[in-house]
Amino acid sequence: MARAGLTAERLTQAGAELADEVGFDQVTLSALARHFDVKVASLYSHVTNSHDLKTRIALLALQELADRAADAVAGRAGKDALVALGNVYRDYAREHPGRYAAMHFRLDRETAIASAGVRHSAMTRAILRGYDLTEPDQTHAVRLLGSVFHGFATLELEGGFSNSSPDSQESWTRTLDALDALLRAWPAPE
Amino acid sequence: MARAGLTAERLTQAGAELADEVGFDQVTLSALARHFDVKVASLYSHVTNSHDLKTRIALLALQELADRAADAVAGRAGKDALVALGNVYRDYAREHPGRYAAMHFRLDRETAIASAGVRHSAMTRAILRGYDLTEPDQTHAVRLLGSVFHGFATLELEGGFSNSSPDSQESWTRTLDALDALLRAWPAPE
DNA sequence: GAATCTACCTAAATGCATTAGGCAAAACCG
DNA sequence: CGGTTTTGCCTAATGCATTTAGGTAGATTC
C-alpha cells in the first residue's frame, strides 16, 4: 500500500490547524489519523503519545508567536512598540485560537526552559526600555503586561466582551492607551 | 441494596472538590462514580451528561466567587475596594484552581445570562464609583480590570511567575498600586 | 537482487460517555 | 398498614479515544 509520508512535523502542523478549527482540547490522535486517512496506531511511529503531540503543538505556537512578536517590535520603541506587541498577541489569539490555547498547555520544566517561551518575556522586557523603570519595577511591569495581554485575549475569545455596547476593539485601544500612560507614570511603592 | 443518596448538588460539590484536586479537565463521571462507590450509569439519573455536570460546577464556582466578592467590596470604596476585589479573585484561583478553571467553561447564552457571571461585571463596575470615569470609560476600565485579574491569576497558576526573583506576591501588590494610580489618572482618548 | 529498515498495518486491552431496560428500596395513599 | 407508584441504582451493550505488541510490505542500502 501507498505510504502517507507522515512526519512529526506534518502531524504537528495538521494538529495546529485542527486546533484552530475545533479547539485544542478536541485535538486527538484519532482525528488526526482520519485526516491523513491512516490508522491511529500508525501515528505512534512519529509521536510518542497524545501528550507529546500536544507539547509539539504548544512549542510550535510559542515559536510562531515569538517570531511575530520579534518582527513587530523590531525598530519600534515606546508606545509604538507596546501597541505593536499587544496587537501581535491579540491578533494571534483571534486568528489562531487553538494554537493560542495550546501555548498554555502545561510543559515540563526543562521543555519550558528550552522553549520560545523565554523569548516572550524577554521581548516584553525589551519594550520597557522605552520607559523609565527601575530594575525590580521592570519585572512587575512585565508581569502586568503579560496579565493584561493574556487576560484580554482570553476573555475576548470566550465572548466575555461580546454582549455589551462599546465593541471590544475600542476597549483594546483604550487599554493600550492606559498602559502607556501607566508606564510613563509608574507609581512608587506605597 | 443500600442507596448512596446522590443528588445533583452532591455530585456538583464532589465534582468541584475533585476539580480542585486533579484539575477541571480530569473531572469525569467515571471518577465521580468511583468516589461515591456507585456505577457510572447511575449518575445519569441526576445529571443529564458530562457537559451538564461541568456546567453545574461552573455555575457553582461563579456563584461562590460572586458571593465572596460581594462580601469583600461591601463597605469599601476606592483603592480599598479595588484591592479587596482583586484579592478575592486571586485567592479563589489559588485556593480553588479547579473551580476557577471551571468558571471559564463555555456556557450557552441563556445559561450564562442567568448565571452569577453578570454579578461579577456589576461588582467591578461598582468599585469604579470610587473613581472619576465617564460612562464609556467605565466599560473599558471594567474590561481592563477583568483582564488583569484573570490574566494574573491564570499566569500565576500556570507557574509563569515562579522562576524569576521578585516573588509574585510583590508583583501583585505593585499591580494593584499601579491599577489604582491608573484609575485615578485615567487618560483621555488620543 | 538481497538484506535491512521502517512506515503503516491488524489485533487487542483499557478507559470514559452514553443509552436501554430491569429490579428493589422509598415514598405515597387509601 | 398493605398496595401502588416512583425512582435510585443496577447490568448489559455500544461507540470512540489511547496505547501496546507484533506483523507485512514498500523504501533504502549495498
Side-chain angles (χ1 to χ4, degrees):
Chain A
M1 345 173 152
R3 296 195 177 186
L6 301 182
T7 62
E9 286 67 34
R10 287 191 66 198
L11 288 176
T12 306
Q13 189 66 38
E17 285 159 20
L18 183 60
D20 288 336
E21 287 163 27
V22 302
F24 184 61
D25 292 344
Q26 320 306 318
V27 173
T28 91
L29 290 177
S30 297
L32 226 47
R34 279 190 293 274
H35 176 261
F36 285 109
D37 198 25
V38 143
K39 298 297 169 182
V40 194
S42 308
L43 304 185
Y44 286 82
S45 305
H46 306 283
V47 293
T48 67
N49 53 31
S50 182
H51 185 276
D52 178 36
L53 172 70
K54 291 188 171 178
T55 299
R56 287 170 187 268
I57 297 173
L59 293 174
L60 171 73
L62 283 169
Q63 189 170 344
E64 273 188 4
L65 184 49
D67 289 346
R68 287 192 187 201
D71 265 8
V73 300
R76 292 188 216 266
K79 183 174 180 183
D80 206 21
L82 173 70
V83 169
L85 185 64
N87 279 329
V88 163
Y89 274 83
R90 176 169 178 248
D91 291 345
Y92 191 76
R94 304 206 300 177
E95 287 169 33
H96 299 294
R99 295 171 206 220
Y100 188 81
M103 286 201 313
H104 294 91
F105 183 68
R106 181 68 124 200
L107 301 176
D108 42 289
R109 202 155 196 74
E110 48 187 332
T111 309
I113 291 171
S115 79
V118 298
R119 289 169 61 202
H120 290 266
S121 52
M123 274 183 294
T124 307
R125 193 172 290 266
I127 69 169
L128 293 179
R129 279 202 286 266
Y131 299 92
D132 192 28
L133 296 179
T134 65
E135 165 46 42
D137 279 348
Q138 277 194 20
T139 301
H140 303 316
V142 165
R143 291 172 175 179
L144 171 57
L145 289 180
S147 298
V148 176
F149 292 166
H150 176 52
F152 197 99
T154 305
L155 295 180
E156 190 176 28
L157 276 185
E158 278 179 14
F161 300 157
S162 58
N163 24 14
S164 30
S165 51
D167 70 25
S168 59
Q169 173 58 48
E170 196 183 334
S171 289
W172 175 245
T173 306
R174 299 302 305 283
T175 290
L176 292 171
D177 290 347
L179 289 175
D180 174 61
L182 176 60
L183 292 171
R184 280 193 278 104
W186 186 262
E190 318 231 326
Chain B
M1 337 166 162
R3 295 193 178 186
L6 301 182
T7 63
E9 287 67 35
R10 289 190 65 196
L11 288 176
T12 306
Q13 189 65 38
E17 285 159 21
L18 183 60
D20 288 336
E21 286 163 28
V22 303
F24 184 62
D25 292 343
Q26 320 306 319
V27 173
T28 80
L29 290 177
S30 297
L32 226 46
R34 279 192 293 275
H35 176 262
F36 284 109
D37 198 24
V38 143
K39 298 296 170 182
V40 192
S42 308
L43 304 185
Y44 286 83
S45 305
H46 305 284
V47 294
T48 66
N49 53 31
S50 182
H51 184 276
D52 178 36
L53 173 70
K54 291 188 172 179
T55 299
R56 287 169 188 269
I57 297 173
L59 293 175
L60 171 72
L62 282 169
Q63 190 170 343
E64 272 188 5
L65 185 49
D67 289 346
R68 288 192 187 201
D71 265 8
V73 300
R76 291 189 217 265
K79 183 173 180 184
D80 205 22
L82 174 70
V83 169
L85 185 64
N87 279 329
V88 163
Y89 273 83
R90 177 170 177 248
D91 291 345
Y92 191 76
R94 305 206 299 177
E95 286 169 33
H96 299 294
R99 295 170 208 221
Y100 188 80
M103 287 201 312
H104 294 91
F105 183 67
R106 181 67 123 199
L107 301 176
D108 42 290
R109 203 155 194 74
E110 46 186 333
T111 309
I113 291 172
S115 78
V118 298
R119 289 168 62 200
H120 290 266
S121 52
M123 274 183 294
T124 307
R125 193 172 290 265
I127 70 170
L128 293 179
R129 280 202 286 266
Y131 298 93
D132 192 28
L133 297 178
T134 66
E135 164 46 43
D137 279 348
Q138 277 193 20
T139 300
H140 303 316
V142 166
R143 291 172 174 178
L144 171 56
L145 289 179
S147 297
V148 175
F149 291 167
H150 176 51
F152 197 100
T154 305
L155 295 180
E156 190 176 28
L157 276 185
E158 278 179 14
F161 300 157
S162 59
N163 23 14
S164 30
S165 50
D167 69 24
S168 58
Q169 173 58 48
E170 196 183 333
S171 289
W172 175 244
T173 305
R174 298 303 306 282
T175 290
L176 292 172
D177 290 348
L179 289 175
D180 174 60
L182 176 60
L183 292 172
R184 280 192 278 104
W186 187 262
E190 319 231 324

